[in-house]
Amino acid sequence: MSPHLFVRRRRGLDRLKLLVSCGLVSAVALAALAIPVRGEAPIRFIDSAKVWVLSGGNASYVLGVNERNELQSVYWGKRIWRDQDWTVVKSSPQWDGVDPSTNTTPEEYPGWGGLRFFEPCLKATLAGGVRDVVLEYAAHDIRGDELSVTMKDIGGGLAVELRYRIYPNGVLSKSSVIRNASNAVVTIESAQSGAWQLPAAEGYHLSYLAGRWGEETLYTREPIHRGSKVIESRRGSTSNQFNPWFAIDGPEEAGEEHGNVWFGALGWSGSWKIAVEQTPHRDLRITGGYNDFDFSYPLKPGESLSTPPFYAGFTDHGFGEASRLMHRFQLEHILPRPSAGHPRPVLYNSWEATGFAVDEPGQTALARKAAEIGVERFVMDDGWFGARDSSLAGLGDWVPNPKKFPHGLKPLIDNVKSLGMDFGLWVEPEMVNSDSDLYRAHPDWVLSFPGRPRSEARNQLVLNLSREDVKEYVLASLDKLVSENEIAFLKWDLNRNFSEPGWQEAPPAEQKTIWVRHVNNYYDVIDRLRARHPKLEIESCASGGGRVDLGVLTRTEEVWPSDNTDAFDRLSIQYGYSHAYTPKTMMAWVTDVPSMDQRSEPLEYRFLVAMMGSLGIGSNLTKWNPEEVQVASRMVALYKRIRGTVQEGQLYRLLAPVDGSLSANEYVSQNGKQAVLFAFLHAQQYGRLAPSIHLRGLAETAVYRVGVVEGKIAEKQETFSGAYLMNHGLTPSLKGEFDAAAVVLERLD
Ligand code: DGJ
């Protein structure tokens, strides 16, 4: 950038900062406005230094080629505007024979070869049994916001294309394409998407999302010490146990709105691995991609293997801003189009009300009640097909059960449509019950080894989707279903993990490719189905939140985060979820009490918890009394008024559910005209007053009209300045147990 351009930009920035301090422009907007500096390309190659500078939002990412021709990470952090600051890249100094320079140099994509002993990005057996991969820079190509760097193994038999993309708000993606450039088979044993390197320091902390069935995405944070911490799935799908997201703060500890946070997430719905490794030299690297456990992927000459995108970003404004960057990135670049631009409809789902006992009259009765309270999409869950009266039978036979639906699904769908809703249906296409026509016809279609047990989980087996015939069967069944019925939405479930992962018809050397092939074929089925039915929307569900990741979210509008619908438990699940994923994708149902915890929260509380994402209802509406129907109608109407703000706005986590008896979230609309505060009291303690809640993300000088929806704040004024709301705060008057408030603020201009 030329010096005069910089001066102009600095002046502009200073003016903007002034506006920020006056509350006329938010800090977030400032970061966003910093994006397009006139004439500055998002990716620049500095020839003299052999360095690439990738800039977006408030972040820069710099990599270069060192004197050994290795590709080396140079910098990742707050934006550095001046290209002349970068000079020729040097590898790390030689320490001793035990830790040579190759072992301490922060390579972008290290192979397992030469004197390298840390987590590699690529491990392979090359022609002639050579197990040594040493990658050197060969060429590069810049196209707008995309950079491709070609690396070659020193033996010439393997080429790796590293793909980078920098998005306008500074989120980056990395992936690789590994190509066999030899004339013999090459077997890939570990294929990572890439490694992120942080400066050597003590004091880093790792945040990640851990849990189990019924308790997914619990936010966890712990100090990083020397050694490796691995979060992963070996289960074939993303998993309910760990989610492929990380955040690292430090060396000084970050908070919700301050401090350095590097964060990232994998776009892959199969077995994955993220290794966070602090070396004895205090360097920190985060390597992620396919799980290398039971991994082996042979490539014939000329064949290649692509790794999934590993997205990441940086902010110096804490975990809150890290999430907001991720949310915006997902809304603008990840979620499928064109539905990404539309509000999520209010949904009803039958599962908790009727279980497997679905039939035409019962579902029609529920649909009538759902329409009455303002539901826009009616979804019939499990139980409608084959011999499906319980989890014991029917999976694989995707035809309506003739006793439950004697005239097919049409009469029910017609009823639902005449009530002004669209219709959605539950499916679990990758699975089969051994008691099904499909399994009786094709017992060879499941993952299994000859002469070994076929372990059932939830009475089901995993179809071997790696087989082309199985994939085509799955696609054809879904296509028929959607073509013959007016289905707007599929809830695509997956209720068990992979076991005995054999592919009996494939040569042994190919069998381990199922970990990659199954997922790619699952993606392919969705992509082709959606291409044939462009209006079809999909929810990703896997016994709750077992398939929530940025791979599936490029293909499905929403996910089901957990089978646990207890509203109080849900606060913690949603809190963790919001660190990685936008609330728009988070389906959340209001269900009946006592909940699965035997807890009975009031209906308003249950609604307000669910309204912090994409609102759904799963209660048995036919049992609701008129008062409950009236509360629900009021809450659904409120949700429709604020859903643009919740689904598309900026989320501020004001008080975490883990930190005390009060929790609160605030959402500010994209245009700053509406803000919504949700507050939840867990349990009153005698004499303890709830603290004031300080809002964020408002304009200090603007005035807001308060619509106190549940009358649960102490203040009686009708309007407030942004300065008051953020600095003095609002005083909740919540009492007893499970009390909740929603406060809607409309900006007066
Ligand atoms: C598991 C899902 O998470 C539930 O919501 C429900 O769809 C059941 N499967 C149906 O079998």
Side-chain angles (χ1 to χ4, degrees):
M1 192 194 308
S2 71
H4 67 271
L5 193 60
F6 171 64
V7 171
R8 235 169 36 219
R9 183 178 168 225
R10 277 256 53 99
R11 281 200 204 118
L13 284 178
D14 288 342
R15 230 174 282 141
L16 276 167
K17 281 182 182 156
L18 190 72
L19 294 177
V20 170
S21 66
C22 299
L24 294 171
V25 176
S26 75
V28 176
L30 177 62
L33 284 168
I35 299 164
V37 178
R38 211 179 316 162
E40 190 181 88
I43 301 181
R44 298 176 308 284
F45 180 58
I46 303 162
D47 215 348
S48 54
K50 273 197 155 176
V51 155
W52 296 267
V53 180
L54 286 66
S55 306
N58 224 1
S60 292
Y61 187 85
V62 183
L63 63 157
V65 180
N66 69 20
E67 78 287 356
R68 286 198 296 259
N69 222 15
E70 296 156 350
L71 192 66
Q72 188 172 323
S73 307
V74 176
Y75 173 80
W76 183 27
K78 197 164 180 177
R79 191 167 180 150
I80 293 175
W81 60 271
R82 186 171 181 263
D83 286 351
Q84 293 89 325
D85 289 343
W86 305 110
T87 179
V88 176
V89 181
K90 293 223 171 54
S91 63
S92 300
Q94 183 87 13
W95 278 90
D96 50 42
V98 177
D99 255 334
S101 167
T102 40
N103 200 46
T104 52
T105 296
E107 278 180 84
E108 275 288 301
Y109 199 83
W112 187 68
L115 291 161
R116 291 172 182 82
F117 307 106
F118 46 78
E119 187 76 33
C121 279
L122 178 59
K123 182 175 183 309
T125 299
L126 310 179
V130 170
R131 299 187 334 274
D132 181 57
V133 176
V134 177
L135 297 173
E136 288 189 343
Y137 167 77
H140 81 272
D141 185 29
I142 297 175
R143 293 198 180 176
D145 57 5
E146 290 180 347
L147 166 67
S148 145
V149 181
T150 304
M151 308 288 294
K152 286 206 170 124
D153 174 60
I154 49 174
L158 200 61
V160 182
E161 184 195 345
L162 302 180
R163 294 182 175 170
Y164 297 82
R165 183 166 175 197
I166 177 104
Y167 293 87
N169 74 353
V171 170
L172 294 144
S173 79
K174 280 185 181 185
S175 62
S176 62
V177 181
I178 302 155
R179 191 170 57 81
N180 180 356
S182 74
N183 49 20
V185 169
V186 162
T187 302
I188 309 299
E189 285 144 9
S190 171
Q192 303 302 303
S193 304
W196 304 97
Q197 315 268 356
L198 300 191
E202 307 256 16
Y204 286 116
H205 283 74
L206 169 69
S207 298
Y208 57 100
L209 302 175
R212 57 173 165 77
W213 176 83
E215 196 187 51
E216 292 88 341
T217 58
L218 295 187
Y219 177 75
T220 311
R221 181 171 174 270
E222 63 197 27
I224 294 176
H225 299 297
R226 272 167 282 169
S228 270
K229 164 92 184 183
V230 173
I231 53 170
E232 63 175 345
S233 162
R234 296 179 176 188
R235 294 166 180 261
S237 55
T238 326
S239 100
N240 305 65
Q241 287 70 22
F242 293 96
N243 191 271
W245 170 88
F246 74 89
I248 290 173
D249 64 298
E252 284 87 42
E253 294 195 27
E256 199 47 33
E257 301 297 336
H258 75 271
N260 290 343
V261 180
W262 292 264
F263 53 93
L266 277 169
W268 182 240
S269 312
S271 293
W272 57 273
K273 172 173 151 181
I274 295 178
V276 179
E277 186 181 20
Q278 183 151 47
T279 71
H281 294 264
R282 280 42 163 204
D283 302 309
L284 190 59
R285 45 182 124 222
I286 306 106
T287 308
Y290 295 133
N291 200 321
D292 52 352
F293 181 81
D294 199 43
F295 190 92
S296 175
Y297 205 102
L299 294 176
K300 296 195 184 83
E303 281 185 349
S304 57
L305 171 66
S306 300
T307 60
F310 197 178
Y311 303 98
F314 166 82
T315 175
D316 60 344
H317 283 92
F319 295 100
E321 184 64 7
S323 306
R324 290 188 288 276
L325 288 168
M326 270 303 232
H327 297 172
R328 186 71 29 221
F329 165 66
Q330 290 159 24
L331 291 168
E332 287 172 8
H333 301 283
I334 291 285
L335 294 178
R337 263 100 271 270
S339 53
H342 306 150
R344 302 303 306 138
V346 177
L347 175 151
Y348 178 82
N349 178 290
S350 67
W351 176 244
E352 292 212 13
T354 48
F356 297 100
V358 297
D359 60 14
E360 196 186 305
Q363 296 297 298
T364 306
L366 282 170
R368 278 201 202 100
K369 292 282 178 189
E372 217 181 292
I373 57 175
V375 167
E376 297 159 315
R377 170 167 292 165
F378 182 85
V379 182
M380 177 163 63
D381 209 282
D382 200 348
W384 60 269
F385 53 91
R388 189 76 168 167
D389 289 324
S390 71
S391 66
L392 286 167
L395 282 179
D397 303 337
W398 301 110
V399 283
N401 178 299
K403 279 200 211 104
K404 299 174 181 183
F405 298 94
H407 309 289
L409 298 177
K410 191 170 184 320
L412 173 63
I413 298 178
D414 285 349
N415 272 327
V416 166
K417 296 206 74 178
S418 71
L419 291 163
M421 300 179 289
D422 66 23
F423 181 77
L425 194 64
W426 180 94
V427 287
E428 192 177 1
E430 297 145 278
M431 298 289 161
V432 65
N433 284 116
S434 47
D435 184 358
S436 68
D437 293 343
L438 182 67
Y439 189 71
R440 281 183 281 275
H442 299 287
D444 52 329
W445 275 16
V446 297
L447 292 178
S448 62
F449 292 112
R452 307 286 305 177
R454 298 179 172 198
S455 300
E456 297 197 0
R458 209 192 189 214
N459 308 305
Q460 60 196 55
L461 296 159
V462 183
L463 284 176
N464 183 0
L465 207 63
S466 300
R467 287 175 58 137
E468 285 301 303
D469 50 357
V470 175
K471 178 176 89 167
E472 293 306 322
Y473 168 82
V474 167
L475 175 64
S477 332
L478 294 173
D479 186 30
K480 186 164 185 300
L481 206 54
V482 180
S483 303
E484 290 178 355
N485 301 284
E486 280 193 76
I487 293 172
F489 173 86
L490 289 176
K491 174 178 172 183
W492 184 313
D493 208 344
L494 172 116
N495 281 302
R496 64 157 292 176
N497 298 132
F498 297 13
S499 66
E500 295 107 12
W503 176 359
Q504 297 200 25
E505 301 71 28
E510 300 257 324
Q511 293 202 12
K512 291 183 182 170
T513 62
I514 64 114
W515 301 111
V516 173
R517 281 188 210 273
H518 182 110
V519 182
N520 282 336
N521 284 352
Y522 158 68
Y523 288 162
D524 187 49
V525 171
I526 297 187
D527 293 347
R528 285 162 65 197
L529 188 66
R530 290 190 69 128
R532 291 182 199 175
H533 306 279
K535 292 203 176 133
L536 181 70
E537 297 189 353
I538 302 180
E539 174 180 296
S540 167
C541 169
S543 270
R547 192 147 63 184
V548 177
D549 57 79
L550 294 183
V552 81
L553 280 171
T554 60
R555 298 172 165 86
T556 62
E557 280 74 11
E558 63 192 43
V559 299
W560 179 232
S562 181
D563 276 347
N564 185 345
T565 58
D566 175 88
F568 176 70
D569 284 354
R570 201 74 183 206
L571 283 177
S572 308
I573 293 168
Q574 295 185 174
Y575 173 75
Y577 184 97
S578 75
H579 280 78
Y581 305 106
T582 162
K584 186 169 189 181
T585 60
M586 186 180 77
M587 178 40 62
W589 302 343
V590 175
T591 54
D592 288 331
V593 288
S595 69
M596 55 203 283
D597 282 339
Q598 300 308 311
R599 211 181 266 129
S600 291
E601 302 97 332
L603 188 54
E604 286 89 341
Y605 180 98
R606 282 178 273 148
F607 259 101
L608 291 178
V609 171
M611 281 160 62
M612 293 195 294
S614 200
L615 177 64
I617 297 159
S619 295
N620 191 343
L621 302 178
T622 55
K623 300 221 165 112
W624 273 8
N625 62 35
E627 196 198 325
E628 286 170 316
V629 171
Q630 198 229 324
V631 170
S633 308
R634 182 162 50 83
M635 298 308 263
V636 170
L638 168 64
Y639 183 70
K640 288 179 181 169
R641 191 176 141 203
I642 61 171
R643 72 174 146 189
T645 301
V646 170
Q647 295 178 8
E648 306 277 342
Q650 310 272 9
L651 167 65
Y652 294 85
R653 291 180 294 258
L654 303 180
L655 295 167
V658 286
D659 281 345
S661 67
L662 188 72
S663 65
N665 269 354
E666 179 198 359
Y667 299 76
V668 180
S669 67
Q670 263 293 81
N671 63 10
K673 287 192 183 298
Q674 189 184 66
V676 187
L677 169 69
F678 293 92
F680 302 90
L681 177 73
H682 307 163
Q684 175 78 55
Q685 286 177 296
Y686 181 69
R688 293 237 184 126
L689 295 178
S692 303
I693 301 176
H694 297 259
L695 279 77
R696 292 186 182 275
L698 305 177
E700 296 244 346
T701 53
V703 174
Y704 297 83
R705 184 189 305 285
V706 185
V708 182
V709 178
E710 299 302 307
K712 285 175 177 165
I713 59 167
E715 285 82 2
K716 299 286 174 246
Q717 300 91 308
E718 282 180 6
T719 58
F720 291 100
S721 67
Y724 181 96
L725 292 164
M726 293 195 287
N727 302 317
H728 177 279
L730 293 175
T731 317
S733 54
L734 300 174
K735 295 188 185 63
E737 284 182 335
F738 304 117
D739 202 0
V743 179
V744 182
L745 299 160
E746 308 282 358
R747 181 173 168 161
L748 304 174
D749 273 323

